[in-house]
Amino acid sequence: MTDEADSRSLAKETGRSAGKIGISLLVAIALGYVLTLLATRWLGPENSKVYLSFWGILMGLGSALSPLEQELSRQSAVAAIDGGRAGKPALRALTVGAVTVAVVAALTLVVPVLSDRLYAGQTGLGVVVLCGAIAFACQFAARGLLVGQQRIKPYSGLVVAEAAVRVLVLFGVFFAGLTGLTSFAIAAAAGSFAWLLFVRPVAGLVDPHAEGEGWGPVTARILILMAGAGLTASVITGYPAMVSLLAPGGSDADVGVLFATLTVSRVPLLLLSPLQALAVPTVVRLSGTADGVHRLRRLLALGALGTVALGVVGALVGWLIGPWLVSLLYGSKFVAQGWWVAWMVWGAVLLTALQLMTAVLVARKQANKVLVTWAVVAVTTAVVLLVAPGDPVFKAVAGLAVAPTLGLAVVLVFVLRRPAASRD
């Protein structure tokens, strides 16, 4: 009875925490769209191509750092159970994450072909990415330490503060008359420094003298996790940058409109964090019994069918009203094609299912299969961008449609197989 009562208490606490975090994420997403919509409308289609490519790199590096938050939340939670605080391994993980993204950001700045294609040769954008990426590492580390110790209020505050700082800086540069591309980029990166507002509560959660894992195991684990997250980011937040890099050329105006349309179609993918957080413990509980495993497989099969049906309906709706919605949001200069939006919505729906189904693999401790799934999606996307015929717009839309479809097939093979423990 005690175990059952503890389980119910834990479920209620988890539900309350997920609800609070979910609300903060919704607020942050809404503020984030204020930034992208205002900046894109002001810059126009041609400059928006460069700005959204920059945005993809910055947010892609941020997404690649999400495992740092997960790892530090684990360390913080383990330390809390023992009545202590996260120690040197947390600081080592932060160092590895910060150095890794700094190296990647620096490469986009100093390698001429990367700088030309991603930033149109505007060096200042690369400098902003470098600074923002390092600050992102500190931000995700702070979030991990807070949520690991169940400090939900400051955690939610940090999530909202990140987006709010961007909007405030955006309004500041706008009213100061600094409406250039670099000014909007600085506003976008400013949010990654929001952790500075929470230094006091975060500092108390770390004991820099507490020993633990050495550099070797910490570095290996963080790099593997970041590799998987980087692949995910390349086809979600970083897709505009991927297109600019692998399929350059074409009309700047058309590609700018395409990127703006893509931003709208990615809305569902930005709402998944609470669902993913809940998916893992749910899968763990269901996997404890043969009946639960059977129910889980049935839910996954039904979910796959539902995903395909929703993707078809969403594509049809996108075809019919997508161009009108894009013009409504961004202005009359942004003229999208219905078939763009249709395939974008199809890809977005499938990527949503992919993110949730890979959470099943995480719950089963099958991290290698998570990496394989996203590698298939990322590599397929890159191949389509490189070899598909047509202009960059056609290549980009083809990548959005083909890669998630293949990825869903791969992940279904993984998740619908009966786990080894259950077969035994």
Side-chain angles (χ1 to χ4, degrees):
M1 290 297 291
T2 302
D3 291 341
E4 183 177 351
D6 289 344
S7 297
R8 290 178 179 176
S9 176
L10 179 60
K12 290 181 180 179
E13 182 179 352
T14 302
R16 287 194 297 267
S17 298
K20 293 177 182 178
I21 293 172
I23 292 172
S24 67
L25 285 170
L26 289 173
V27 174
I29 289 167
L31 291 172
Y33 271 88
V34 170
L35 172 68
T36 54
L37 288 173
L38 290 178
T40 305
R41 286 179 69 98
W42 183 265
L43 292 171
E46 291 84 359
N47 286 330
S48 290
K49 176 190 175 183
V50 181
Y51 176 76
L52 292 175
S53 179
F54 152 82
W55 175 269
I57 285 290
L58 179 65
M59 294 301 151
L61 289 174
S63 297
L65 282 163
S66 59
L68 181 62
E69 177 181 359
Q70 298 164 18
E71 172 62 16
L72 264 65
S73 69
R74 183 192 66 81
Q75 293 186 22
S76 186
V78 170
I81 292 173
D82 296 334
R85 295 175 290 170
K88 290 182 178 179
L91 300 177
R92 289 166 180 155
L94 169 58
T95 302
V96 173
V99 170
T100 302
V101 294
V103 169
V104 174
L107 287 175
T108 69
L109 177 62
V110 301
V111 177
V113 66
L114 296 180
S115 180
D116 288 341
R117 293 188 179 183
L118 296 176
Y119 311 127
Q122 300 191 43
T123 306
L125 297 181
V127 174
V128 174
V129 166
L130 176 61
C131 297
I134 296 172
F136 257 137
C138 298
Q139 187 132 301
F140 277 99
R143 284 170 50 165
L145 292 169
L146 288 168
V147 77
Q149 290 270 5
Q150 286 296 303
R151 305 291 180 87
I152 301 302
K153 187 175 181 179
Y155 176 88
S156 299
L158 179 51
V159 170
V160 173
E162 177 183 336
V165 167
R166 289 195 186 101
V167 174
L168 290 174
V169 175
L170 174 68
F171 285 142
V173 299
F174 185 83
F175 287 115
L178 305 174
T179 53
L181 192 59
T182 302
S183 298
F184 286 134
I186 291 172
S192 59
F193 290 86
W195 63 273
L196 293 170
L197 302 174
F198 295 81
V199 168
R200 179 173 294 180
V202 171
L205 303 178
V206 182
D207 180 0
H209 304 293
E211 297 293 338
E213 282 185 308
W215 283 100
V218 169
T219 300
R221 184 163 60 252
I222 290 296
L223 290 180
I224 291 173
L225 290 172
M226 287 184 66
L231 291 172
T232 307
S234 70
V235 295
I236 298 180
T237 53
Y239 194 69
M242 198 174 185
V243 174
S244 297
L245 183 63
L246 300 181
S251 166
D252 286 348
D254 286 346
V255 175
V257 174
L258 176 77
F259 288 171
T261 308
L262 179 64
T263 303
V264 176
S265 74
R266 285 300 195 240
V267 171
L269 304 179
L270 299 175
L271 302 175
L272 286 181
S273 294
L275 292 177
Q276 286 180 287
L278 291 173
V280 173
T282 301
V283 171
V284 171
R285 288 194 295 269
L286 286 173
S287 300
T289 64
D291 181 63
V293 171
H294 176 73
R295 287 172 56 201
L296 176 60
R297 295 178 72 229
R298 182 171 179 272
L299 287 171
L300 291 170
L302 291 174
L305 292 174
T307 296
V308 173
L310 182 60
V312 171
V313 173
L316 179 60
V317 173
W319 189 301
L320 295 175
I321 71 169
W324 167 81
L325 181 60
V326 171
S327 295
L328 177 67
L329 292 174
Y330 293 108
S332 59
K333 293 182 180 179
F334 289 77
V335 181
Q337 301 296 318
W339 64 275
W340 297 0
V341 187
W343 286 116
M344 284 181 186
V345 174
W346 166 265
V349 171
L350 266 61
L351 285 171
T352 300
L354 270 167
Q355 287 182 279
L356 292 174
M357 289 187 180
T358 50
V360 175
L361 299 176
V362 172
R364 293 175 177 173
K365 297 182 180 180
Q366 296 175 327
N368 58 329
K369 292 181 179 178
V370 175
L371 189 60
V372 168
T373 298
W374 288 112
V376 168
V377 177
V379 171
T380 302
T381 302
V383 170
V384 171
L385 290 174
L386 288 170
V387 306
D391 62 7
V393 170
F394 180 83
K395 291 172 180 280
V397 176
L400 289 168
V402 173
T405 304
L406 183 58
L408 182 64
V410 171
V411 79
L412 281 174
V413 172
F414 290 152
V415 300
L416 292 179
R417 288 187 63 189
R418 200 179 294 272
S422 298
R423 290 199 300 268
D424 294 342

